[in-house]
Amino acid sequence: QVQLVESGGGLVQPGGSLRLSCAASGNIFSIYVMGWYRQAPGKQRDLVAGITSSGSANYADSVKGRFTISRDNAKNTVYLQMNSLKPEDTAVYYCNAHLAGLGPSRGYWGQGTQVTVSS
């Protein structure tokens, strides 16, 4: 069984910073792509940033220059450094990992962590 556990969410003022972490555990042979998605109330879940096992990253236009995704392959962990946060960044942030475990490779989701940007 595979689990993704997120941490690091919370309440921050506009212009502030937060760092999210997501650790994958369980029967994992290889993690291909890890990423962060977010979902605001009444909206769909959208990709924020993704990173391959070799470190190639991509970002949503709305976060380019403010957010940085990184990963530690030895720890099966992905991070999202969020700077210059705006109220519109408020959402539940979900970690996703496409990986090979005991069965065929597929995507797994974390439980989500709330990020609230407000003064």
Side-chain angles (χ1 to χ4, degrees):
Q1 187 173 355
V2 174
Q3 282 189 318
L4 301 182
V5 179
E6 299 130 334
S7 61
L11 172 64
V12 63
Q13 292 186 341
S17 298
L18 282 175
R19 189 190 193 212
L20 305 183
S21 300
C22 171
S25 63
N27 294 306
I28 298 171
F29 294 133
S30 183
I31 303 179
Y32 305 119
V33 180
M34 302 187 83
W36 290 94
Y37 290 71
R38 67 186 181 187
Q39 187 168 20
K43 296 188 176 182
Q44 66 181 20
R45 189 177 297 186
D46 292 324
L47 175 68
V48 175
I51 186 167
T52 67
S53 57
S54 61
S56 179
N58 66 291
Y59 298 91
D61 288 343
S62 60
V63 307
K64 283 181 181 177
R66 300 188 297 121
F67 291 10
T68 302
I69 190 170
S70 61
R71 65 189 277 178
D72 185 333
N73 291 330
K75 296 181 179 180
N76 289 339
T77 299
V78 64
Y79 307 95
L80 186 68
Q81 177 66 44
M82 304 184 293
N83 299 328
S84 302
L85 283 160
K86 305 175 181 180
E88 51 263 44
D89 294 317
T90 295
V92 178
Y93 284 68
Y94 295 92
C95 174
N96 177 273
H98 192 90
L99 60 87
L102 291 179
S105 63
R106 70 175 184 91
Y108 292 82
W109 290 96
Q111 80 283 359
T113 185
Q114 177 70 46
V115 172
T116 302
V117 184
S118 175
S119 55

